């Protein structure tokens, strides 16, 4: 049986899966397409509506048969909430997801970081990648209950006086709708394509807003130490470009977008053609009445996009070498594999160093990847949002610049990963 961590994945066998969360919890599920939106209210499976094609609730167990989901469905998001409405999850035992296969054999267990003030948790998702269905551990918290999750996935959930929830017709979020209309108008004026709303980005934005409102101040990390970028990746969104706006005070979407367009750097984010998807949320501090806003801008990570990014870093590096009269570096697939693995590892294990937690150094990682280069050097960076920005940062640092302009180096591998506390992690691995 696999023990999963947030963001961890597991390929699933065919057949009916059973998911259980023992304890004083209710389990729900949202059936969506690749864009993270439900088709209609029938895609919300919860205690008042316990069945949909391919998904059924029975007691504490949710059964999912991926092959029997409705046409176009590619994702089932599993949600857990307290059985007694309104109680923060932090007052209950830590929820643990147990997944068994069609033969009753345990497949995976996932215990997310212990929630605090959240009342709902996106626990995991079953999703299709090509012909294969996989399980991804999430652990994304919400402070405003099922209603907040429903809005972000495209379903209205109404709370009745007895505390039970009922699914309603697909409803538009006025905050998101106004935001999208205004930003796409600004993007059109700059010649950039429109963005679309993504439920996973909106979920991360809402959770982050809730944390800022609870603390009464802006910040890139919540009280739990989880960054906005970690919330995005924990929600199952792997990105290449990323941007954000964190603002307090605007009373509506129009004021928020006006603020985002008021400064040069902030305006560039709104208009950046690299962004194709966005999420937005607003949560008000109940003590002061101050609205807190988060907008997340991103483009999904694809193999082709990652390859283009690495190629651009290599080209910019070679331009610096050419300006210094040095020959260009050649791309090296083995060094690239080691560099990519290191960037990914820094995100997954939450560190930033040339020395991995297991003690391995750049030359160890290069050798483990199969490289026979006799001399190895490494540059790392975090937080930069583009190849141009990261190469310029390295060139402005004497030690990193020395690696880029070292005459003996002949080959280069480049790695990039999104997530962690800084948002982006870059690695250059040089060889000779």
């Amino acid at each position: 049986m696999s023990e999963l961590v947030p963001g961890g994945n597991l390929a699933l066998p065919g057949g009916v899966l059973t998911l259980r969360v023992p304890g004083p919890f209710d389990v729900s599920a949202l059936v969506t397409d690749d864009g993270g939106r439900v088709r209609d209210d029938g895609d919300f499976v919860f205690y008042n509506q316990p069945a949909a094609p391919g998904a059924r609730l029975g007691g504490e167990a949710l059964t999912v048969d991926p092959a029997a989901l409705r046409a176009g469905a590619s994702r089932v998001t599993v949600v857990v909430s307290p059985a007694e409405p309104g109680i923060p999850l932090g007052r209950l035992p830590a929820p643990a997801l147990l997944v068994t296969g069609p033969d009753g054999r345990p497949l995976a267990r996932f215990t997310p970081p212990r929630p605090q003030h959240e009342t709902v948790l996106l626990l995991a998702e079953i999703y299709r990648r090509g012909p294969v269905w996989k399980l991804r551990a999430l652990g994304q918290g919400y402070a405003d209950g099922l209603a907040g999750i429903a809005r972000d996935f495209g379903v209205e959930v109404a709370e009745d006086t007895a505390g039970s929830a009922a699914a309603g017709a697909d409803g538009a979020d006025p905050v998101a709708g106004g935001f999208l209309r205004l930003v796409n108008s600004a993007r059109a004026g700059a010649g950039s394509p429109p963005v679309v709303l993504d439920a996973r980005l909106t979920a991360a934005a809402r959770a982050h807003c809730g944390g800022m409102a609870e603390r009464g101040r802006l910040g890139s990390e919540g009280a739990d130490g989880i960054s906005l970028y970690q919330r995005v990746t924990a929600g199952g969104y792997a990105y290449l470009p990323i941007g954000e706006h964190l603002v307090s005070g605007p009373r509506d979407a129009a004021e928020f977008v006006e603020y985002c367009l008021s400064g040069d750097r902030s305006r560039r984010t709104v208009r950046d053609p690299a962004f194709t998807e966005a999420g937005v949320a607003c949560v008000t501090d109940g003590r002061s009445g101050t609205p807190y806003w988060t907008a997340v801008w991103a483009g999904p990570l694809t193999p082709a996009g990652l390859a283009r990014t690495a190629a651009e870093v290599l080209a910019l590096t070679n331009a610096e070498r050419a300006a210094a009269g040095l020959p260009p570096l050649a791309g090296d697939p083995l060094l690239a594999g080691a560099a990519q693995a290191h960037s990914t590892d820094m995100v997954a294990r939450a560190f930033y160093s040339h020395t991995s937690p297991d003690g391995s150094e750049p030359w160890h990682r290069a050798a483990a990847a199969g490289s026979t280069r006799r001399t190895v050097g490494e540059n790392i960076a975090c937080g930069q949002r583009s190849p141009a920005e990261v190469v310029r940062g390295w060139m402005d640092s004497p030690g990193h610049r020395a690696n880029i302009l070292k005459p003996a180096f002949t080959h280069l591998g480049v790695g990039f990963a999104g997530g962690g506390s800084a948002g982006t992690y870059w690695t250059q691995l040089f060889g000779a």
Side-chain angles (χ1 to χ4, degrees):
M1 180 173 63
S2 297
E3 294 281 353
L4 297 179
V5 298
N9 290 268
L10 176 70
L12 295 169
V16 178
L17 306 163
T18 302
L19 301 94
R20 290 185 173 87
V21 184
F25 304 107
D26 284 330
V27 177
S28 310
L30 291 140
V31 180
T32 62
D33 55 22
D34 285 334
R37 304 287 288 178
V38 299
R39 185 177 60 182
D40 55 41
D41 60 354
D43 284 343
F44 185 23
V45 179
F46 67 123
Y47 44 82
N48 276 356
Q49 185 171 275
R56 177 174 293 274
L57 277 174
E60 67 178 23
L62 169 71
T63 58
V64 178
D65 183 358
L69 295 172
R70 55 110 172 141
S74 59
R75 192 182 307 269
V76 178
T77 302
V78 182
V79 180
V80 66
S81 56
E84 186 175 342
I87 294 180
L89 287 166
R91 297 184 188 175
L92 301 176
L97 174 67
L98 306 175
V99 183
T100 56
D103 58 358
R105 180 174 59 89
L107 298 177
R109 177 166 53 201
F110 172 52
T111 302
R114 186 176 181 84
Q116 296 300 319
H117 301 285
E118 297 90 340
T119 56
V120 178
L121 203 63
L122 299 183
L123 197 54
E125 62 182 3
I126 296 168
Y127 67 101
R128 185 174 59 214
R129 182 60 53 85
V132 178
W133 286 88
K134 295 186 174 184
L135 174 73
R136 178 186 287 121
L138 300 178
Q140 175 70 58
Y142 272 69
D144 55 351
L146 286 176
I149 284 184
R151 283 192 299 269
D152 294 344
F153 281 79
V155 178
E156 285 291 338
V157 174
E159 300 287 341
D160 65 23
T161 57
S164 62
D170 182 19
D173 182 342
V175 168
F179 168 84
L180 195 65
R181 183 174 60 256
L182 292 165
V183 301
N184 279 337
S185 175
R187 289 174 66 86
S192 297
V195 294
V196 297
L197 292 174
D198 181 272
R200 294 160 294 177
L201 295 177
T202 298
R206 185 174 298 280
H208 192 73
C209 271
M212 292 194 297
E214 180 185 341
R215 300 175 73 185
R217 59 186 174 89
L218 297 172
S220 61
E221 291 187 351
D224 53 8
I226 299 176
S227 73
L228 173 60
Y229 320 111
Q230 288 168 312
R231 296 188 192 281
V232 169
T233 55
Y237 193 104
Y239 59 80
L240 192 56
I242 188 77
E244 72 285 332
H245 289 102
L246 309 177
V247 181
S248 63
R251 294 165 295 181
D252 54 30
E255 287 190 6
F256 175 56
V257 174
E258 181 181 7
Y259 178 89
C260 294
L261 293 169
S262 63
D264 289 342
R265 182 172 181 177
S266 179
R267 185 165 52 247
R268 284 197 300 271
T269 298
V270 174
R271 296 175 172 177
D272 193 333
F275 299 134
T276 59
E277 296 171 323
V280 65
C282 176
V283 175
T284 299
D285 178 352
R287 295 157 298 187
S288 67
T290 301
Y292 284 83
W293 293 79
T294 298
V296 190
W297 310 80
L301 177 70
T302 64
L306 184 61
R308 285 194 301 270
T309 296
E312 189 172 349
V313 171
L314 176 60
L316 290 168
T317 299
N318 280 334
E320 298 292 348
R321 287 177 65 88
L326 296 170
L329 302 173
D332 185 309
L334 296 178
L335 293 177
Q340 182 60 44
H342 189 56
S343 287
T344 301
D345 192 32
M346 287 192 288
V347 169
R349 292 201 275 181
F351 74 97
Y352 177 65
S353 174
H354 295 288
T355 304
S356 299
D358 58 12
S360 64
E361 302 286 355
W363 46 91
H364 298 137
R365 295 189 287 271
S371 175
T372 58
R373 302 292 170 193
R374 292 172 295 176
T375 304
V376 171
E378 184 178 78
N379 284 346
I380 59 174
C382 65
Q384 295 81 2
R385 301 304 176 88
S386 69
E389 186 179 346
V390 74
V391 172
R392 174 47 48 199
W394 280 326
M395 288 300 294
D396 288 341
S397 167
H400 299 97
R401 178 187 179 93
N403 273 338
I404 289 175
L405 301 182
K406 187 171 181 176
F409 285 142
T410 57
H411 290 77
L412 179 67
V414 178
F416 167 88
S421 60
T424 60
Y425 290 79
W426 305 81
T427 301
Q428 282 185 314
L429 198 57
F430 301 86

